[in-house]
Amino acid sequence: MAVVSRTRPGRPDPDLPLVLGHQAGAADAFTRLWRKYEPRLRRYFLQATRSDADADDLASDTFLAALRSMPRFSADGAGPDGGNAALFSTYLYAIARNQLSLWRRRRRRHPEMPLSLSGREGEDDLEAEVRPLASGVSDAELRDPSELLLEAERGDAICRALASLDSDAQFCAVLLHYVAGWTHEDVGQFLGARKESVNSRLQDGRRSLRRGIETFDPRAAPT
Amino acid sequence: MHSANDVPTVRPQRRLHSVRCDIPDRCDVRFTPVATPKTRPLLYTALLRLPDRIDWLDAPVAPGYVADLRVAGARAVGRSDEAAMRIPPGLRVPAGEAVRWSIAPRDAPSLRVSGVFRLVSAPERDRLDRALARLEDVADPEYRAVVSAIVQAQVGLYQDALGILDNLLARGGICGKLSPGPVAMLAHRAGLWVLRSMKAAAGADLSPSARKWMELRSAYHADAMAAVRAPESGRLGAEPIALSRLPSVGRSMCVL
């Protein structure tokens, strides 16, 4: 099993005690890992497949594969500072990515399978185009799984940051521009506001959003 | 600080012609009509079409009601034994014109409740349709719902906007990409925006009962947002608490 390693000097893998516990035979260690990662994996798969059923299946398959291969997972990649180079989350998402690749291959062989939740083709492309800020994990297969994990959490952080915009004018303009993908002119026309006013709201909103996202950024927070 | 039971709640619509509107006992908003198939009280809002009839909470000891509708110089007064009034077919309601209603128990005129609704004008309808069509490009259903609520409120469809947000909150996370907590925060934030927009647009048209309802509902959104944001269940994980704190269904206000 290929493991995508990700070095985080000075930060030990928070899952390592559970991994070692499972390897030592602790009954609930794997269950706790499952509880922690199942919702995230499900979100990851749902985003990639647009199908509840497929997301459920893929999450289950990923955990089954992880369970089978767990004895082979080791902390041998430990860095000189004691940090674990190969995080369990990275390892799990590498399995997830493999499962997703297999699913995509199967799907290509069976094109009669539904393409997306909404049945509209090209939605992935639209998402990346229309929501530059809140586009989340649309390009799932091409990116590092551990990055995707962080991005899923970042998606939540963006959502919270949007909700935390104090100014009503900013809130409305930011939603229409960054979430709905409207141009400054469209936003101004719809809200009956001048272009300069929209620009100013968006500029201020962007600053507030950035602050909000940094506040909630999981990379900045202790694990 | 009020409890969750103090706030007006609306049960999500289940079938097109069988809907309920629930308002807790201690809310002062009574005899407040709602329009089929909408579930929202018509305290101050625009509607896409004129309802056939309006219904309101049946006061337990009221012998009957007097309902009064005024629009564009015309007036319709109805006396009814039941908590409903059919809008007279001859009552002309031009789009954009305010329909001012008031309802009181026959034997207690001092308990009169009043409000305003109107039909969206053709330019507003056009603006709305064009905006909603553009939202189909928003891939994420949660974001799409929130922006759709904003767009509806922007043309005065405040109750429809709140309905969208209520449905989103009732469903929790529907797509799976976003966690329920952040989605709830965003929906509550949008709810606050809708209510503030409603208040600003209503100005002097806001009746005391509508003001009270708005205050309660705003407090509900603010409290719920604070609950989701609360650090008590972890930096990113207040979701179960937030959803469980959504107001419980009060007593049935009306069945259409």
Side-chain angles (χ1 to χ4, degrees):
Chain A
M1 177 67 65
V3 175
V4 179
S5 64
R6 173 178 161 78
T7 305
R8 304 196 342 174
R11 294 187 70 182
D13 185 352
D15 300 318
L16 194 57
L18 288 176
V19 171
L20 295 176
H22 170 72
Q23 288 173 338
D28 67 336
F30 194 80
T31 307
R32 288 170 64 187
L33 288 168
W34 178 81
R35 279 193 194 130
K36 178 176 176 181
Y37 284 104
E38 196 271 345
R40 302 176 196 189
L41 275 182
R42 197 178 174 284
R43 286 207 294 272
Y44 164 64
F45 286 129
L46 194 52
Q47 176 62 22
T49 66
R50 306 281 170 144
S51 156
D52 281 307
D54 287 333
D56 285 339
D57 288 348
L58 284 167
S60 299
D61 290 348
T62 299
F63 277 103
L64 278 174
L67 187 62
R68 279 196 296 268
S69 62
M70 276 282 271
R72 295 201 298 276
F73 179 82
S74 75
D76 285 349
D81 54 1
N84 186 22
L87 298 175
F88 173 75
S89 59
T90 308
Y91 172 72
L92 189 64
Y93 270 78
I95 297 174
R97 187 162 60 171
N98 288 341
Q99 293 292 337
L100 187 59
S101 299
L102 289 171
W103 176 84
R104 284 188 196 276
R105 248 176 274 159
R106 280 198 303 271
R107 190 161 152 264
R108 275 195 287 272
R109 284 200 292 270
H110 301 281
E112 72 280 6
M113 290 174 74
L115 286 171
S116 70
L117 196 62
S118 64
R120 288 190 295 124
E121 290 185 61
E123 206 170 47
D124 284 356
D125 297 335
L126 277 174
E127 182 171 0
E129 272 177 31
V130 169
R131 292 200 287 102
L133 183 66
S135 60
V137 290
S138 59
D139 202 9
E141 201 178 17
L142 304 174
R143 292 148 76 179
D144 186 324
S146 59
E147 280 299 318
L148 291 176
L149 171 64
L150 287 172
E151 283 209 23
E153 292 185 354
R154 198 168 175 80
D156 284 351
I158 289 170
C159 196
R160 284 169 184 271
L162 282 167
S164 300
L165 287 174
D166 288 329
S167 154
D168 281 346
Q170 281 175 26
F171 177 70
C172 194
V174 163
L175 274 178
L176 291 175
H177 178 66
Y178 287 111
V179 175
W182 293 11
T183 64
H184 291 211
E185 288 77 15
D186 292 340
V187 174
Q189 203 175 358
F190 187 76
L191 297 180
R194 291 194 358 244
K195 193 182 167 190
E196 296 75 29
S197 167
V198 172
N199 289 346
S200 154
R201 291 178 199 184
L202 288 173
Q203 226 166 31
D204 294 343
R206 200 159 37 229
R207 269 196 292 272
S208 303
L209 266 184
R210 192 168 292 136
R211 276 197 301 274
I213 291 166
E214 281 164 4
T215 305
F216 287 112
D217 194 332
R219 278 170 284 206
T223 52
Chain B
M1 181 71 71
H2 56 273
S3 72
N5 284 333
D6 289 324
V7 299
T9 65
V10 181
R11 178 173 291 178
Q13 181 179 328
R14 282 176 292 192
R15 291 199 310 273
L16 191 64
H17 294 295
S18 175
V19 294
R20 295 158 64 93
C21 179
D22 300 282
I23 291 189
D25 288 348
R26 279 189 285 164
C27 179
D28 286 343
V29 183
R30 292 169 191 271
F31 331 123
T32 302
V34 296
T36 304
K38 302 300 174 191
T39 60
R40 319 294 153 191
L42 303 175
L43 291 165
Y44 183 86
T45 192
L47 297 173
L48 286 174
R49 62 190 66 82
L50 188 66
D52 293 336
R53 54 181 267 170
I54 53 177
D55 296 65
W56 55 89
L57 173 67
D58 198 4
V61 293
Y65 303 90
V66 179
D68 189 344
L69 297 179
R70 295 167 193 240
V71 55
R75 184 177 182 190
V77 179
R79 290 175 180 276
S80 170
D81 291 337
E82 56 169 345
M85 175 189 180
R86 184 162 292 282
I87 293 187
L91 186 69
R92 201 174 145 267
V93 180
E97 287 283 348
V99 180
R100 297 176 190 282
W101 59 263
S102 71
I103 295 168
R106 208 177 288 160
D107 60 348
S110 62
L111 296 179
R112 183 174 303 279
V113 174
S114 59
V116 180
F117 66 86
R118 66 176 175 86
L119 300 181
V120 290
S121 64
E124 284 174 330
R125 183 63 190 255
D126 183 49
R127 190 168 151 230
L128 175 71
D129 288 344
R130 275 187 283 118
L132 290 179
R134 297 194 59 190
L135 297 188
E136 287 176 12
D137 291 348
V138 180
D140 189 290
E142 285 106 346
Y143 280 130
R144 189 164 57 232
V146 170
V147 182
S148 166
I150 296 287
V151 164
Q152 306 244 8
Q154 194 66 33
V155 295
L157 294 164
Y158 301 112
Q159 301 297 354
D160 285 2
L162 292 173
I164 290 170
L165 298 173
D166 285 337
N167 283 339
L168 180 61
L169 286 165
R171 279 198 305 258
I174 51 174
C175 166
K177 181 181 165 190
L178 297 165
S179 305
V183 170
M185 261 185 87
L186 191 57
H188 287 302
R189 175 67 182 86
L192 283 171
W193 181 86
V194 170
L195 290 164
R196 284 181 201 142
S197 302
M198 187 195 286
K199 190 176 179 183
D205 275 339
L206 206 59
S207 66
S209 40
R211 193 177 299 278
K212 177 74 175 168
W213 177 85
M214 210 174 282
E215 284 169 5
L216 289 169
R217 176 129 191 166
S218 296
Y220 151 62
H221 284 301
D223 287 352
M225 256 186 87
V228 184
R229 197 184 272 163
E232 62 200 65
S233 64
R235 183 175 48 87
L236 291 170
E239 294 85 354
I241 290 175
L243 292 177
S244 70
R245 280 182 185 171
L246 288 177
S248 57
V249 171
R251 67 178 171 142
S252 171
M253 178 183 174
C254 55
V255 179
L256 301 180

